[in-house]
Coordinates of all heavy atoms in Angstrom, one line a residue:
M88 N 44.7 37.8 -11.7 CA 45.2 39.2 -11.3 C 44.1 39.9 -10.5 O 43.0 39.9 -11.0 CB 45.5 40.0 -12.6 CG 46.5 41.1 -12.3 SD 46.8 42.0 -13.8 CE 47.7 40.8 -14.9
A89 N 44.4 40.4 -9.4 CA 43.5 41.2 -8.7 C 43.4 42.6 -9.3 O 44.2 42.9 -10.1 CB 43.9 41.3 -7.2
L90 N 42.4 43.3 -8.8 CA 42.3 44.7 -9.3 C 42.8 45.7 -8.1 O 43.0 45.2 -7.0 CB 40.9 45.0 -9.7 CG 40.5 44.7 -11.1 CD1 40.5 43.2 -11.3 CD2 39.2 45.3 -11.6
L91 N 42.9 46.9 -8.5 CA 43.6 47.9 -7.6 C 42.8 49.2 -7.8 O 42.5 49.6 -8.9 CB 45.0 48.1 -8.1 CG 45.9 49.2 -7.6 CD1 46.3 48.9 -6.2 CD2 47.1 49.3 -8.5
I92 N 42.6 49.9 -6.7 CA 41.9 51.2 -6.8 C 43.0 52.3 -6.6 O 43.8 52.3 -5.7 CB 40.8 51.4 -5.7 CG1 39.7 50.4 -6.0 CG2 40.3 52.8 -5.6 CD1 38.6 50.3 -4.9
T93 N 43.0 53.2 -7.6 CA 44.1 54.3 -7.5 C 43.6 55.5 -6.7 O 42.4 55.6 -6.4 CB 44.4 54.8 -9.0 OG1 43.3 55.5 -9.5 CG2 44.7 53.6 -9.9
D94 N 44.5 56.4 -6.5 CA 44.1 57.6 -5.7 C 43.2 58.6 -6.5 O 42.9 59.7 -6.0 CB 45.4 58.3 -5.1 CG 46.3 58.8 -6.2 OD1 45.9 58.8 -7.4 OD2 47.4 59.2 -5.9
E95 N 42.8 58.2 -7.7 CA 41.8 59.0 -8.3 C 40.4 58.7 -7.8 O 39.4 59.4 -8.2 CB 41.9 58.8 -9.9 CG 43.1 59.4 -10.5 CD 43.3 58.8 -11.9 OE1 42.4 58.9 -12.7 OE2 44.4 58.2 -12.1
C96 N 40.3 57.7 -7.0 CA 39.0 57.4 -6.4 C 38.4 58.6 -5.7 O 39.0 59.3 -5.0 CB 39.2 56.3 -5.3 SG 37.8 55.9 -4.4
I97 N 37.1 58.8 -6.0 CA 36.4 59.9 -5.4 C 35.4 59.5 -4.2 O 34.5 60.2 -3.8 CB 35.5 60.7 -6.5 CG1 34.6 59.7 -7.2 CG2 36.5 61.4 -7.4 CD1 33.6 60.4 -8.1
N98 N 35.6 58.2 -3.8 CA 34.8 57.7 -2.6 C 33.3 57.8 -2.9 O 32.6 58.2 -2.0 CB 35.2 58.4 -1.3 CG 36.6 58.1 -0.8 OD1 37.1 57.0 -1.2 ND2 37.2 59.0 -0.1
C99 N 32.9 57.4 -4.1 CA 31.5 57.6 -4.4 C 30.7 56.4 -3.9 O 29.4 56.4 -3.9 CB 31.3 57.6 -5.9 SG 31.6 56.1 -6.8
D100 N 31.3 55.4 -3.3 CA 30.6 54.3 -2.6 C 29.9 53.3 -3.6 O 29.2 52.4 -3.1 CB 29.6 54.7 -1.6 CG 30.1 55.7 -0.6 OD1 31.3 55.6 -0.2 OD2 29.3 56.6 -0.2
V101 N 30.1 53.5 -4.9 CA 29.3 52.7 -5.8 C 29.8 51.2 -6.0 O 29.1 50.3 -6.1 CB 29.2 53.4 -7.2 CG1 28.7 52.4 -8.3 CG2 28.4 54.6 -7.1
C102 N 31.2 51.1 -6.0 CA 31.7 49.8 -6.2 C 31.6 48.8 -5.1 O 31.4 47.6 -5.3 CB 33.2 49.9 -6.6 SG 34.2 50.7 -5.3
E103 N 31.7 49.3 -3.9 CA 31.8 48.4 -2.7 C 30.6 47.4 -2.7 O 30.9 46.2 -2.5 CB 31.9 49.2 -1.4 CG 32.2 48.5 -0.2 CD 31.1 48.2 0.7 OE1 30.0 48.8 0.5 OE2 31.2 47.3 1.5
P104 N 29.3 47.8 -2.8 CA 28.3 46.8 -2.8 C 28.2 45.9 -4.0 O 27.5 44.9 -3.9 CB 27.0 47.7 -2.6 CG 27.4 49.0 -3.1 CD 28.8 49.2 -2.9
E105 N 28.9 46.2 -5.1 CA 28.8 45.4 -6.3 C 29.8 44.2 -6.2 O 29.6 43.3 -7.0 CB 29.2 46.3 -7.5 CG 28.3 47.4 -7.8 CD 26.9 47.0 -8.1 OE1 26.8 45.9 -8.8 OE2 25.9 47.6 -7.8
C106 N 30.7 44.2 -5.3 CA 31.7 43.2 -5.3 C 31.1 41.9 -4.7 O 30.7 41.9 -3.5 CB 32.9 43.6 -4.5 SG 34.2 42.2 -4.4
P107 N 31.1 40.8 -5.5 CA 30.5 39.5 -5.0 C 31.4 38.9 -3.9 O 30.9 37.9 -3.2 CB 30.4 38.7 -6.2 CG 31.5 39.2 -7.1 CD 31.6 40.7 -6.8
N108 N 32.6 39.3 -3.8 CA 33.5 38.7 -2.8 C 33.8 39.5 -1.6 O 34.7 39.1 -0.8 CB 34.9 38.3 -3.6 CG 34.7 37.3 -4.6 OD1 33.9 36.4 -4.5 ND2 35.4 37.5 -5.7
D109 N 33.1 40.6 -1.4 CA 33.4 41.5 -0.3 C 34.9 41.9 -0.3 O 35.5 42.0 0.8 CB 33.0 40.9 1.0 CG 31.5 40.9 1.2 OD1 30.8 41.8 0.6 OD2 30.9 40.1 1.9
A110 N 35.5 42.1 -1.4 CA 36.9 42.4 -1.5 C 37.2 43.9 -1.3 O 38.3 44.3 -1.1 CB 37.5 41.9 -2.8
I111 N 36.1 44.7 -1.5 CA 36.3 46.2 -1.5 C 35.9 46.7 -0.1 O 34.9 46.4 0.4 CB 35.5 46.8 -2.6 CG1 35.8 46.2 -4.0 CG2 35.7 48.4 -2.6 CD1 35.0 46.7 -5.1
Y112 N 36.8 47.6 0.4 CA 36.5 48.2 1.7 C 37.1 49.6 1.8 O 38.0 50.0 1.0 CB 37.2 47.3 2.8 CG 38.7 47.2 2.7 CD1 39.5 48.1 3.4 CD2 39.3 46.3 1.9 CE1 40.9 48.0 3.3 CE2 40.6 46.2 1.8 CZ 41.4 47.0 2.5 OH 42.8 47.0 2.4
M113 N 36.6 50.4 2.7 CA 37.1 51.7 2.9 C 38.4 51.7 3.6 O 38.5 51.1 4.7 CB 36.0 52.5 3.7 CG 36.3 54.0 3.8 SD 36.2 54.8 2.1 CE 37.1 56.3 2.4
G114 N 39.4 52.3 3.0 CA 40.7 52.3 3.6 C 40.9 53.6 4.4 O 39.9 54.2 4.8
Q115 N 42.2 54.0 4.6 CA 42.4 55.2 5.3 C 41.8 56.4 4.7 O 41.2 57.3 5.3 CB 44.0 55.4 5.4 CG 44.7 54.3 6.2 CD 44.9 54.8 7.6 OE1 44.8 55.9 7.9 NE2 45.3 53.8 8.5
E116 N 42.0 56.5 3.3 CA 41.5 57.7 2.6 C 40.5 57.4 1.5 O 39.6 58.2 1.2 CB 42.6 58.6 2.1 CG 43.4 59.2 3.2 CD 44.6 60.0 2.7 OE1 44.7 60.2 1.5 OE2 45.4 60.4 3.6
I117 N 40.8 56.3 0.8 CA 39.9 55.9 -0.3 C 39.6 54.4 -0.2 O 40.1 53.7 0.7 CB 40.7 56.1 -1.7 CG1 42.1 55.4 -1.6 CG2 40.8 57.6 -2.0 CD1 42.7 55.4 -3.0
Y118 N 38.8 54.0 -1.1 CA 38.4 52.6 -1.1 C 39.6 51.7 -1.5 O 40.5 52.2 -2.3 CB 37.2 52.3 -2.0 CG 35.9 52.5 -1.3 CD1 35.3 53.8 -1.4 CD2 35.3 51.5 -0.6 CE1 34.1 54.1 -0.7 CE2 34.1 51.8 0.0 CZ 33.5 53.0 0.0 OH 32.3 53.3 0.6
E119 N 39.7 50.5 -1.0 CA 40.8 49.6 -1.4 C 40.3 48.2 -1.7 O 39.1 47.9 -1.3 CB 41.8 49.5 -0.2 CG 42.5 50.9 0.1 CD 43.5 50.8 1.3 OE1 44.0 49.7 1.6 OE2 43.8 51.9 1.8
I120 N 41.1 47.4 -2.4 CA 40.7 46.1 -2.7 C 41.7 45.1 -2.0 O 42.9 45.2 -2.1 CB 40.7 45.9 -4.2 CG1 39.6 46.7 -4.9 CG2 40.6 44.4 -4.6 CD1 39.6 46.7 -6.4
D121 N 41.1 44.1 -1.4 CA 41.9 43.0 -0.8 C 42.2 42.0 -1.9 O 41.3 41.3 -2.4 CB 41.1 42.4 0.3 CG 41.9 41.2 1.0 OD1 42.9 40.8 0.4 OD2 41.4 40.7 2.0
P122 N 43.5 42.0 -2.3 CA 43.8 41.1 -3.5 C 43.7 39.6 -3.2 O 43.5 38.8 -4.1 CB 45.3 41.5 -3.8 CG 45.8 42.1 -2.5 CD 44.7 42.7 -1.8
T123 N 43.6 39.3 -1.9 CA 43.4 37.9 -1.6 C 42.0 37.5 -1.7 O 41.6 36.3 -1.7 CB 43.8 37.5 -0.1 OG1 43.0 38.2 0.8 CG2 45.3 38.0 0.1
K124 N 41.1 38.4 -1.9 CA 39.6 38.1 -2.1 C 39.1 38.5 -3.5 O 38.1 38.0 -3.9 CB 38.8 38.9 -1.1 CG 38.9 38.5 0.3 CD 37.9 39.3 1.2 CE 37.7 38.6 2.5 NZ 36.7 39.5 3.2
C125 N 39.9 39.3 -4.2 CA 39.5 39.7 -5.6 C 39.8 38.6 -6.6 O 40.9 38.2 -6.7 CB 40.1 41.0 -6.0 SG 39.8 41.4 -7.7
T126 N 38.8 38.1 -7.3 CA 38.9 37.0 -8.3 C 38.8 37.6 -9.7 O 38.6 36.8 -10.6 CB 37.9 35.9 -8.1 OG1 36.6 36.4 -8.3 CG2 38.0 35.3 -6.7
E127 N 38.8 38.9 -9.9 CA 38.4 39.6 -11.1 C 37.0 39.2 -11.5 O 36.6 39.2 -12.6 CB 39.3 39.1 -12.3 CG 40.7 39.6 -12.3 CD 41.5 39.0 -13.4 OE1 40.9 38.8 -14.5 OE2 42.7 38.8 -13.2
C128 N 36.2 38.8 -10.4 CA 34.8 38.4 -10.5 C 34.7 37.0 -11.2 O 33.6 36.6 -11.4 CB 34.0 39.4 -11.3 SG 33.6 40.8 -10.2
V129 N 35.8 36.3 -11.4 CA 35.7 34.9 -11.9 C 34.9 34.1 -10.9 O 35.0 34.2 -9.7 CB 37.1 34.3 -12.0 CG1 37.1 32.8 -12.2 CG2 37.9 35.0 -13.2
G130 N 34.0 33.3 -11.5 CA 33.1 32.5 -10.7 C 31.7 33.2 -10.5 O 30.7 32.5 -10.2
H131 N 31.7 34.5 -10.7 CA 30.4 35.2 -10.5 C 29.9 35.9 -11.8 O 28.8 35.8 -12.1 CB 30.6 36.3 -9.4 CG 30.9 35.7 -8.0 ND1 29.9 35.2 -7.2 CD2 32.0 35.6 -7.3 CE1 30.4 34.8 -6.1 NE2 31.7 35.1 -6.1
F132 N 30.8 36.6 -12.4 CA 30.5 37.4 -13.6 C 31.5 37.4 -14.7 O 32.7 37.0 -14.4 CB 30.3 38.9 -13.2 CG 29.2 39.2 -12.1 CD1 29.6 39.4 -10.8 CD2 27.9 39.2 -12.4 CE1 28.7 39.6 -9.8 CE2 26.9 39.4 -11.5 CZ 27.3 39.6 -10.1
D133 N 31.2 37.7 -15.9 CA 32.1 37.7 -17.0 C 33.1 38.8 -16.9 O 34.2 38.8 -17.5 CB 31.4 37.7 -18.3 CG 30.6 36.5 -18.6 OD1 31.0 35.4 -18.0 OD2 29.7 36.5 -19.4
E134 N 32.7 40.0 -16.3 CA 33.5 41.2 -16.3 C 33.6 41.6 -14.9 O 32.7 41.5 -14.1 CB 32.8 42.3 -17.1 CG 32.5 42.0 -18.5 CD 33.8 42.1 -19.4 OE1 34.7 42.7 -18.9 OE2 33.7 41.5 -20.5
P135 N 34.8 42.2 -14.5 CA 34.9 42.8 -13.2 C 33.9 43.8 -12.9 O 33.8 44.9 -13.6 CB 36.3 43.4 -13.2 CG 37.1 42.7 -14.3 CD 36.0 42.4 -15.3
Q136 N 33.0 43.6 -12.0 CA 31.8 44.5 -11.7 C 32.3 45.9 -11.3 O 31.6 46.9 -11.6 CB 30.9 43.8 -10.7 CG 30.3 42.5 -11.2 CD 29.5 42.7 -12.4 OE1 28.4 43.3 -12.4 NE2 29.9 42.2 -13.6
C137 N 33.3 45.9 -10.4 CA 33.7 47.2 -9.9 C 34.2 48.2 -11.1 O 33.8 49.3 -11.1 CB 34.8 47.1 -8.9 SG 36.2 46.1 -9.4
Q138 N 34.9 47.6 -12.0 CA 35.4 48.4 -13.2 C 34.2 48.9 -14.0 O 34.2 50.0 -14.5 CB 36.2 47.5 -14.1 CG 37.7 47.5 -13.8 CD 38.4 46.7 -14.9 OE1 37.9 45.9 -15.6 NE2 39.7 46.9 -14.8
Q139 N 33.1 48.1 -14.1 CA 32.0 48.5 -14.9 C 31.2 49.7 -14.3 O 30.7 50.5 -15.0 CB 30.9 47.3 -14.9 CG 31.5 46.0 -15.4 CD 31.5 46.0 -16.9 OE1 30.6 46.4 -17.6 NE2 32.7 45.6 -17.4
V140 N 31.2 49.8 -12.9 CA 30.4 50.8 -12.3 C 31.2 52.1 -11.9 O 30.6 53.1 -11.7 CB 29.7 50.3 -11.1 CG1 28.7 49.2 -11.5 CG2 30.6 49.8 -10.0
C141 N 32.5 52.0 -11.9 CA 33.3 53.1 -11.4 C 33.2 54.3 -12.3 O 33.5 54.2 -13.5 CB 34.8 52.7 -11.2 SG 35.8 54.1 -10.6
P142 N 32.7 55.5 -11.9 CA 32.5 56.6 -12.7 C 33.7 57.3 -13.2 O 33.7 58.1 -14.2 CB 31.6 57.5 -11.9 CG 32.0 57.2 -10.5 CD 32.3 55.7 -10.5
V143 N 34.8 57.0 -12.5 CA 36.1 57.7 -12.9 C 37.2 56.8 -13.4 O 38.3 57.1 -13.6 CB 36.7 58.6 -11.7 CG1 35.7 59.7 -11.4 CG2 36.9 57.8 -10.5
S144 N 36.8 55.5 -13.6 CA 37.7 54.5 -14.2 C 39.0 54.4 -13.5 O 40.1 54.5 -14.1 CB 37.9 54.8 -15.7 OG 36.7 54.8 -16.4
C145 N 38.9 54.3 -12.2 CA 40.2 54.2 -11.4 C 40.5 52.9 -10.8 O 41.1 52.8 -9.8 CB 40.2 55.3 -10.3 SG 39.0 55.0 -9.0
I146 N 40.0 51.8 -11.5 CA 40.2 50.5 -11.0 C 40.9 49.6 -12.0 O 40.3 48.8 -12.7 CB 38.9 49.8 -10.5 CG1 38.0 50.8 -9.8 CG2 39.2 48.6 -9.7 CD1 36.7 50.2 -9.2
P147 N 42.2 49.8 -12.2 CA 43.0 49.0 -13.1 C 43.4 47.6 -12.6 O 43.1 47.3 -11.4 CB 44.3 49.8 -13.4 CG 44.5 50.5 -12.1 CD 43.1 50.8 -11.5
F148 N 43.9 46.7 -13.4 CA 44.5 45.5 -12.9 C 45.7 45.8 -12.1 O 46.5 46.7 -12.3 CB 44.8 44.5 -14.0 CG 43.5 44.0 -14.7 CD1 43.1 44.5 -15.8 CD2 42.8 43.0 -14.1 CE1 41.9 44.1 -16.4 CE2 41.6 42.5 -14.6 CZ 41.2 43.0 -15.8
N149 N 45.9 45.0 -11.0 CA 47.1 45.2 -10.1 C 48.2 44.4 -10.6 O 48.2 43.2 -10.6 CB 46.6 44.7 -8.7 CG 47.7 44.9 -7.7 OD1 48.9 45.2 -8.0 ND2 47.3 44.9 -6.4
P150 N 49.3 45.1 -11.1 CA 50.4 44.3 -11.7 C 51.2 43.5 -10.7 O 51.9 42.6 -11.1 CB 51.3 45.5 -12.3 CG 50.9 46.7 -11.6 CD 49.5 46.5 -11.1
E151 N 51.0 43.7 -9.4 CA 51.7 42.9 -8.4 C 51.0 41.6 -8.2 O 51.5 40.7 -7.5 CB 51.7 43.7 -7.1 CG 52.2 45.1 -7.1 CD 53.7 45.1 -7.3 OE1 54.4 44.2 -6.7 OE2 54.2 45.9 -8.1
W152 N 49.8 41.4 -8.7 CA 49.0 40.2 -8.4 C 48.6 39.5 -9.7 O 47.4 39.5 -10.1 CB 47.8 40.6 -7.6 CG 48.1 40.7 -6.1 CD1 48.6 41.8 -5.6 CD2 47.9 39.8 -5.1 NE1 48.8 41.6 -4.2 CE2 48.4 40.4 -3.9 CE3 47.5 38.5 -5.0 CZ2 48.4 39.7 -2.7 CZ3 47.5 37.8 -3.8 CH2 47.9 38.4 -2.7
R153 N 49.6 39.0 -10.4 CA 49.3 38.3 -11.6 C 48.9 36.8 -11.3 O 49.6 36.1 -10.7 CB 50.5 38.3 -12.5 CG 50.9 39.6 -13.0 CD 52.1 39.6 -14.0 NE 52.5 40.9 -14.4 CZ 51.9 41.6 -15.3 NH1 50.8 41.1 -16.0 NH2 52.3 42.9 -15.6
E154 N 47.7 36.5 -11.8 CA 47.2 35.1 -11.6 C 46.5 34.6 -12.8 O 45.8 35.4 -13.5 CB 46.2 35.2 -10.4 CG 46.8 35.5 -9.1 CD 45.7 36.0 -8.1 OE1 45.1 37.1 -8.4 OE2 45.5 35.4 -7.1
S155 N 46.6 33.3 -13.0 CA 46.0 32.7 -14.2 C 44.5 32.5 -13.9 O 44.0 32.6 -12.7 CB 46.6 31.3 -14.5 OG 46.3 30.5 -13.4
K156 N 43.7 32.3 -14.9 CA 42.3 32.0 -14.8 C 42.1 30.8 -13.8 O 41.1 30.9 -13.0 CB 41.7 31.7 -16.1 CG 40.2 31.8 -16.2 CD 39.8 33.1 -16.8 CE 38.3 33.1 -17.0 NZ 37.8 34.5 -17.4
E157 N 42.9 29.8 -13.9 CA 42.8 28.7 -13.0 C 43.0 29.1 -11.5 O 42.3 28.6 -10.6 CB 43.8 27.6 -13.4 CG 43.5 26.9 -14.7 CD 43.8 27.7 -15.9 OE1 44.6 28.7 -15.9 OE2 43.1 27.5 -17.0
K158 N 44.0 29.9 -11.3 CA 44.3 30.4 -9.9 C 43.1 31.2 -9.4 O 42.7 31.1 -8.3 CB 45.6 31.2 -9.9 CG 46.8 30.4 -9.7 CD 47.9 31.2 -9.2 CE 49.0 30.4 -8.6 NZ 50.1 31.1 -8.0
L159 N 42.5 32.0 -10.3 CA 41.4 32.9 -9.9 C 40.2 32.0 -9.6 O 39.5 32.2 -8.6 CB 41.0 33.9 -11.0 CG 42.1 35.0 -11.2 CD1 41.8 35.7 -12.5 CD2 42.1 36.0 -10.1
Q160 N 40.0 30.9 -10.4 CA 38.9 30.0 -10.1 C 39.1 29.3 -8.8 O 38.2 29.1 -8.0 CB 38.9 29.0 -11.3 CG 37.8 27.9 -11.1 CD 36.4 28.5 -11.3 OE1 36.2 29.5 -12.0 NE2 35.4 27.9 -10.7
A161 N 40.4 28.9 -8.5 CA 40.7 28.2 -7.2 C 40.5 29.2 -6.0 O 40.0 28.8 -5.0 CB 42.2 27.8 -7.2
K162 N 40.8 30.5 -6.2 CA 40.5 31.5 -5.2 C 39.0 31.6 -4.9 O 38.6 31.6 -3.8 CB 41.1 32.8 -5.6 CG 41.3 33.8 -4.5 CD 41.5 35.2 -4.9 CE 42.9 35.4 -5.6 NZ 43.1 36.9 -5.9
Y163 N 38.3 31.6 -6.0 CA 36.8 31.7 -5.9 C 36.3 30.5 -5.1 O 35.5 30.6 -4.2 CB 36.2 31.7 -7.3 CG 34.7 31.3 -7.3 CD1 33.8 32.2 -6.9 CD2 34.3 30.1 -7.8 CE1 32.4 31.9 -6.9 CE2 33.0 29.7 -7.8 CZ 32.0 30.6 -7.4 OH 30.7 30.2 -7.4
E164 N 36.8 29.3 -5.4 CA 36.3 28.1 -4.7 C 36.7 28.1 -3.2 O 36.0 27.7 -2.4 CB 36.9 26.9 -5.4 CG 36.1 26.6 -6.7 CD 36.7 25.6 -7.7 OE1 37.6 24.9 -7.2 OE2 36.3 25.6 -8.8
R165 N 37.9 28.6 -3.0 CA 38.4 28.7 -1.6 C 37.4 29.7 -0.8 O 37.0 29.4 0.3 CB 39.8 29.2 -1.5 CG 40.3 29.5 -0.1 CD 41.7 30.0 0.0 NE 42.1 31.2 -0.7 CZ 41.8 32.5 -0.3 NH1 41.1 32.6 0.8 NH2 42.1 33.5 -1.0
L166 N 37.1 30.8 -1.4 CA 36.3 31.8 -0.8 C 34.9 31.3 -0.5 O 34.3 31.5 0.5 CB 36.2 33.1 -1.6 CG 37.5 33.9 -1.7 CD1 37.3 35.0 -2.8 CD2 37.7 34.6 -0.3
Q167 N 34.4 30.5 -1.5 CA 33.0 29.9 -1.3 C 33.1 28.9 -0.2 O 32.1 28.8 0.6 CB 32.6 29.2 -2.6 CG 32.3 30.1 -3.8 CD 31.2 31.1 -3.4 OE1 31.4 32.3 -3.3 NE2 30.0 30.6 -3.3
A168 N 34.1 28.1 -0.1 CA 34.2 27.1 1.0 C 34.3 27.8 2.3 O 33.7 27.4 3.3 CB 35.5 26.3 0.8
E169 N 35.0 29.0 2.4 CA 35.1 29.7 3.6 C 33.8 30.3 4.1 O 33.4 30.3 5.2 CB 36.1 30.9 3.5 CG 37.6 30.4 3.6 CD 38.6 31.5 3.3 OE1 38.1 32.7 3.2 OE2 39.7 31.2 3.1
L170 N 33.0 30.7 3.1 CA 31.7 31.2 3.3 C 30.8 30.1 4.0 O 30.0 30.4 4.9 CB 31.0 31.7 2.0 CG 31.2 33.1 1.6 CD1 30.5 33.4 0.3 CD2 30.7 34.1 2.7
K171 N 30.9 28.9 3.4 CA 30.1 27.8 3.9 C 30.4 27.5 5.3 O 29.6 27.2 6.2 CB 30.3 26.6 3.0 CG 29.4 26.6 1.8 CD 29.3 25.3 1.1 CE 28.7 25.4 -0.2 NZ 29.3 24.7 -1.3
T172 N 31.7 27.5 5.7 CA 32.1 27.1 7.0 C 31.8 28.3 8.0 O 31.6 28.0 9.2 CB 33.6 26.8 7.2 OG1 34.3 27.8 6.5 CG2 34.0 25.5 6.5
A173 N 31.6 29.5 7.5 CA 31.3 30.6 8.4 C 29.8 30.7 8.7 O 29.4 31.3 9.6 CB 31.7 31.9 7.7
T174 N 29.0 30.0 7.9 CA 27.5 30.0 8.2 C 27.0 28.8 8.9 O 27.6 27.8 9.0 CB 26.7 30.2 6.9 OG1 27.1 29.2 5.9 CG2 26.9 31.6 6.3
Ligands
SF4_85 S1 36.9 42.6 -9.8 FE1 35.1 41.7 -8.9 S2 36.0 40.5 -7.2 FE2 37.6 42.0 -7.8 S3 37.2 43.8 -6.5 FE3 36.1 44.1 -8.4 S4 34.0 43.4 -8.0 FE4 35.4 42.5 -6.4
SF4_86 S1 33.4 53.3 -7.9 FE1 35.5 54.1 -8.3 S2 35.4 56.2 -7.5 FE2 33.7 55.1 -6.6 S3 34.4 54.4 -4.6 FE3 34.8 52.8 -6.1 S4 36.8 53.1 -6.9 FE4 36.2 54.9 -5.8

């Protein structure tokens, strides 16, 4: 399951640099998460890093993107492979 930033976001800029997958970006008004890049931090950390640092707790799981641990692991591996081909 990917994570989602709600409109309670105060644009504090804290989460964006914490994401190991570069899944967080500034949207039209608030920060957003690209669900195709969010692995719940699987492959990098035990806990979603953005959730840990958000001062207003506005990063819940995205109910539209339900994925098993195996799928998240596969997404992580795909992203790593893409990184390698990009460098
Ligand atoms: S859970 Fe991890 S991978 Fe997903 S947006 Fe947050 S920091 Fe990035
Ligand atoms: S840490 Fe929370 S409040 Fe700050 S930019 Fe990220 S989602 Fe918004």
Side-chain angles (χ1 to χ4, degrees):
M88 203 182 293
L90 274 70
L91 167 77
I92 294 175
T93 72
D94 60 10
E95 287 164 60
C96 172
I97 55 170
N98 291 337
C99 73
D100 308 325
V101 168
C102 59
E103 193 258 343
E105 296 298 324
C106 179
N108 294 324
D109 285 335
I111 302 175
Y112 61 95
M113 189 64 199
Q115 294 264 347
E116 292 180 6
I117 54 170
Y118 277 90
E119 296 179 22
I120 292 176
D121 179 348
T123 67
K124 288 185 165 182
C125 174
T126 63
E127 291 178 32
C128 285
V129 165
H131 295 281
F132 301 101
D133 291 338
E134 302 283 340
Q136 297 299 291
C137 55
Q138 269 185 345
Q139 304 282 311
V140 297
C141 180
V143 294
S144 301
C145 69
I146 319 183
F148 288 101
N149 184 342
E151 305 290 319
W152 280 80
R153 293 183 184 280
E154 293 159 299
S155 65
K156 197 97 175 171
E157 289 72 27
K158 275 202 159 179
L159 291 167
Q160 180 70 28
K162 195 194 290 188
Y163 162 75
E164 285 166 15
R165 173 178 61 77
L166 290 168
Q167 291 301 111
E169 283 175 9
L170 269 181
K171 273 195 193 135
T172 48
T174 51

